[in-house]
């Protein structure tokens, strides 16, 4: 086995984190994307800008603010202690929280695009056939926008796996809790364990390539069969 | 035609005026410095540049990262490491000159608590052994010199087991400092050199018998072999006044220095 136990721990933790974050972001991101695609409110532009912020902000900015917010004296720290919860700083759930913020635009934007391309017509038809809103969502929106959901899932997952700066700043590098693969690689490099770093890096490279390949194959199929959305 | 040759001679004249003096008199060198030494080196450079025409450009980072960069051809002239191992390894690999390696500082560890020092109990050995905290920030014991020393302290005090779950690791001593400064971790084992603006009531200088001395070595890199500026700066560091300056930043200075020859 070329991976040490610590490496395997990091891989497992990374997959756990990315799965959890993708699941939560699909739950939170879908209504947000839906609202953004339907609304004519003046709030659309400022809110879109806020949700797209993590695309532009360096991880150091997000990490810096989150560290201060999570600290016992910070706003989030006060909130968690008020509800009797464990502090988020240096914890797995802190990473989940941070990753949700960081990966949000990668889930919201593909969904919003899909919803906007679909337009209102299919829903109007469904409503005239007396489909309930839940029914409309499950049997009209989901199948029509499945490509958008697929892209959002893949990008949300992949982007969380690839996260480094924020995790380094708020994670505290704890094995099994916050030491994800990107941090483990960094540790190997710092400790001059270059061959270990090579193995993990190559694994990450392969993973990223496969993820993107599957995404592009899926999108090509979609267009070559002439299916919209 | 006449104008063209005139232009060329003007250009040539300007080139000579600008370039020759800078090439012969003043040199610009790049040095790589372990982050714990940041505050001290800034003052040393400022002082050096007052009396010298040479200019020094400084890059900070963890010793491991700087070591990797130097190994891959980074254009540094001098390497101020946070330990002794990495300069020695560079010399062994033929990237640095062994005879120029010397210990410029002995790092000291402090236990630091952020926040208002007046409304809390004093910080001392008991603070550490009673373990009444959720998080203790240390630098990574896998590679950071201050992290290795921190683990030695915990081991000597026999509290390694009890503190394992409370440790959070900074990738270098500056990040460890930041964990405590932001209030995210209540306590941290950080470097004395980071305490120069901090109220002494909020930290405890860890007893020296609890850890191995943190010897920090500097070395001249192979590609700077003929650099007058680099050698001048190393000699400047060894000057007694400047070793005193280093001490003022929370280090002990070590005097078994290498004899530097031109």
């Amino acid at each position: 086995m070329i991976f040490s136990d610590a490496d395997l721990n990091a891989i497992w933790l990374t997959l756990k984190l990315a799965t959890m974050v993708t699941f939560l972001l699909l739950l939170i991101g879908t209504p947000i994307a839906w609202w953004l695609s339907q609304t004519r409110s003046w709030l659309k532009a400022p809110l879109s800008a806020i949700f797209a912020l993590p695309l532009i902000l360096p991880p150091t900015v997000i990490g810096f603010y989150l560290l201060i917010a999570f600290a016992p004296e910070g706003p989030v720290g006060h909130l968690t202690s008020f509800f009797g919860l464990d502090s988020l700083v240096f914890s797995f759930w802190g990473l989940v929280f941070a990753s949700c913020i960081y990966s949000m635009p990668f889930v919201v934007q593909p969904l919003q695009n899909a919803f906007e391309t679909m337009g209102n017509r299919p829903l109007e038809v469904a409503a005239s056939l007396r489909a309930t809103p839940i029914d409309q969502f499950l049997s009209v929106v989901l199948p029509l926008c499945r490509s958008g959901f697929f892209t959002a899932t893949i990008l949300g997952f992949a982007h969380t796996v690839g996260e480094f700066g924020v995790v380094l700043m708020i994670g505290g590098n704890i094995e099994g809790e916050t030491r994800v693969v990107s941090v483990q690689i960094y540790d190997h490099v710092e400790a001059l364990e270059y061959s270990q770093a090579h193995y993990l890096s190559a694994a990450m490279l392969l993973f990223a390539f496969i993820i993107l390949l599957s995404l592009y194959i899926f999108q090509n199929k979609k267009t070559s069969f002439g299916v919209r959305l | 035609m006449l104008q063209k040759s005139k232009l060329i001679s003007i250009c040539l004249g300007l080139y000579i005026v600008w370039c020759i003096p800078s090439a012969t008199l003043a040199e610009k060198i790049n040095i790589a410095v372990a982050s714990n030494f940041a505050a001290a080196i800034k003052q040393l450079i400022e002082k050096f540049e007052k009396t010298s025409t040479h200019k020094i450009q400084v890059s900070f980072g963890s010793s491991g990262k700087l070591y990797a960069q130097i190994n891959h051809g980074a254009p540094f002239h001098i390497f101020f490491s946070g330990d002794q191992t990495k300069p020695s390894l560079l010399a062994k690999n033929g990237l640095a000159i062994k005879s120029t390696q010397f210990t410029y500082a002995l790092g000291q560890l402090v236990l630091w608590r952020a926040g208002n020092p007046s409304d809390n109990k004093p910080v001392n050995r008991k603070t550490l052994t009673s373990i009444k905290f959720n998080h203790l920030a240390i630098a990574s014991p896998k590679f950071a010199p201050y992290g290795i020393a921190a683990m030695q302290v915990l081991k000597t005090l026999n509290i390694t087991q009890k503190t394992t779950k409370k440790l959070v690791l900074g990738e270098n001593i500056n990040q460890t400092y930041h964990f405590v400064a932001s209030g995210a971790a209540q306590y941290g084992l950080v470097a004395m050199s980071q305490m120069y603006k901090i109220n002494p009531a909020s930290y405890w200088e860890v007893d020296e018998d609890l850890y191995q001395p943190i010897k920090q070595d500097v070395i001249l890199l192979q590609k700077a072999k003929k650099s007058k500026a680099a050698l001048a700066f190393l000699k400047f560091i060894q000057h007694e006044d400047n070793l005193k300056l280093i001490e003022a930043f929370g280090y002990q200075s070590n005097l078994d220095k290498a004899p530097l020859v031109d």
Side-chain angles (χ1 to χ4, degrees), chain A residues 64 67-68 71-73 87 89-90 168-174 179 184 186-194, chain B residues 62-65 67-68 71-72 86 89 135 140 142-143 167-171 175 178-179 182-186:
Chain A
F64 180 66
L67 187 66
I68 293 170
E73 296 303 309
S87 160
V89 75
F90 311 127
L168 192 73
M169 289 186 76
I170 64 160
N173 200 346
I174 303 166
R179 189 182 295 158
Q184 178 76 358
Y186 187 83
D187 264 20
H188 281 317
V189 175
E190 289 282 306
L192 318 184
E193 297 164 352
Y194 294 150
Chain B
S62 67
S63 305
K65 203 177 330 166
Y67 169 85
N71 248 333
H72 291 95
K86 290 174 189 95
L89 271 175
H135 295 295
S140 174
K142 197 168 165 189
F143 46 81
L167 293 183
V168 290
L169 314 181
E171 62 120 341
Q175 204 201 359
H178 185 225
F179 279 160
S182 65
Q186 292 103 313

